[in-house]
Amino acid sequence: MTDVLAWRYRAVMLAYPRSYRARRGDELLDTLLEFAAPDQRWPTLREVASILVEGVRERIGAARRRPSRMVWIQGLQIMVVLLLAGAAAPVLTDVARQQLSAGAGLALILLALATTGAVLRGRWVAALPLTGAWLAAQVYLFTVSWQVFPISWYLLAAVLALAVLAGRHRSERPVRSAWWLLAVPAATALLTGLELPTRPANQLIVVALLAVAGLAGTLLDPRAPIVAAGLLVAETLRTLVELPTPGDTTSTGVIVLLPTENIQATMTWTAPHTSTGVVFFVTPTWWALALGLGTALLFLASHLGVRRRSRI
Amino acid sequence: MTTQGAILRAPSYFVLAALLDGPLHGYVIIKRVSALSGDSVRLAAGTLYAILDRLTEAALIEVEKEEIVNGRARRSYALTPEGRDTVQAEAQRLAAAAAVVTNPALRQSALSGPEMRLA
């Protein structure tokens, strides 16, 4: 019986990284088996949950005690990388669909690679102007040649986060393992493949899911809500501020920020939107409230998580 | 000397308290923590080893002995002098906090200053 139980516990312990299993595996298994009843064949739910949670926390680097400042820096770094991936996704899509000229596409891809590299290496001061240049290039393409996408709110949010990192944590660079690099193409691929919803009611669901995921992530890692807060702000801005494209006469834009002669600013919202008989009233005020509340909740969750994790 | 700025979470406090009377291995630590806390802290094995990692990293405990039992490694953990000081300092802090509730005389003397007198 013990052999079967030991085999099953070892299977659950695969949640831990290999190096941790090599160091702790036998000892942990010994303790687990000492608590087992003589005829027990299956791991207890409580132990399984504990192993899975601690295993994941060990893998994502959340198990170690770190200074609060470093947790915030790492959270902002992960947030910026995902924001950059979110900004790169439409560029890659447009390049693939040949909606961008070869020169413009190449320039944007090079800027994206340089910026992401700088952020991954913790070079905040270098990453900030690079992100600014990327953003400026997109605005230029939009205003001058109407090439596809408008301003990327993901990039704007990344600039703000990088400004904080460059201003307050200039010389502090988090150490990252090599597997972290995989997060960049993975996030970009995911966001490229994902058709982000355009209906306000669906967008509200996306924002709500983001907030809930961030709060739930606090249980594992206090960096999770920091990341979610950044994505929440960018996603809400993307929803609230819509730039009409040429020939688009049905824009649901609320505020148009780019003052070019081609764009007519509009301050009206075309809600209600109907969906399967249900009327959704999604107004800018509700969006702003949801954004403020969600972001505040996420940062509070981060703060509490960081404070708790800074204790032994 | 205690770890600068260290504040113990309840499970870590009870793990250190369990080791005050001598080195123990994982199974016995869990049993003792449960008994010392009146069953309010019941550690799962995965949680225990995360706590032991943090305490080792903070140099509050150390591996005292490693042996092979039933073909598997078993380690016993002991308090370091720093760990002993830290848990005692935490106990004194908790006792002082409890005293202002349980000891009316102490409360009155703390409030006896002129600026503390009730209007």
Side-chain angles (χ1 to χ4, degrees), chain A residues 24 27 31 46 64, chain B residues 42 49 57 74-75 77:
Chain A
R24 280 271 190 231
E27 191 184 359
T31 303
R46 184 166 170 270
R64 294 283 168 271
Chain B
R42 291 175 59 238
Y49 286 100
E57 204 174 64
R74 175 179 288 180
R75 296 187 183 98
Y77 297 86

Side-chain angles (χ1 to χ4, degrees), chain B residues 37-117:
Chain B
S37 67
D39 265 345
S40 67
V41 178
R42 291 175 59 238
L43 297 173
T47 312
L48 170 73
Y49 286 100
I51 293 170
L52 292 178
D53 282 336
R54 286 202 303 272
L55 293 172
T56 306
E57 204 174 64
L60 301 184
I61 62 168
E62 61 192 356
V63 176
E64 191 262 350
K65 189 172 66 176
E66 188 163 343
E67 56 191 338
I68 303 296
V69 179
N70 296 329
R72 285 185 291 274
R74 175 179 288 180
R75 296 187 183 98
S76 294
Y77 297 86
L79 285 178
T80 61
E82 206 171 347
R84 189 173 293 273
D85 287 351
T86 299
V87 71
Q88 280 170 350
E90 183 69 359
Q92 281 166 9
R93 192 185 68 80
L94 292 171
V100 299
V101 175
T102 57
N103 187 339
L106 185 72
R107 197 163 57 246
Q108 288 309 313
S109 72
L111 295 174
S112 61
E115 70 280 7
M116 287 294 168
R117 289 204 185 97

Side-chain angles (χ1 to χ4, degrees), chain A residues 196-208 235 238-240 242 251-254 269-275 280-284 287:
Chain A
L196 290 172
T198 52
R199 292 171 66 98
N202 293 344
Q203 285 168 333
L204 194 60
I205 292 169
V206 169
V207 169
E235 182 58 25
R238 188 181 77 84
T239 310
L240 269 181
E242 186 178 311
S251 169
T252 57
V254 184
W269 184 257
T270 57
H273 297 272
T274 54
S275 172
F280 291 98
F281 290 93
V282 186
T283 65
W287 269 117

Side-chain angles (χ1 to χ4, degrees), chain A residues 119-143:
Chain A
V119 174
L120 287 172
R121 297 183 64 199
R123 311 279 174 180
W124 320 127
V125 178
L128 183 58
L130 280 169
T131 314
W134 181 359
L135 184 61
Q138 293 206 180
V139 174
Y140 175 79
L141 286 171
F142 177 63
T143 52

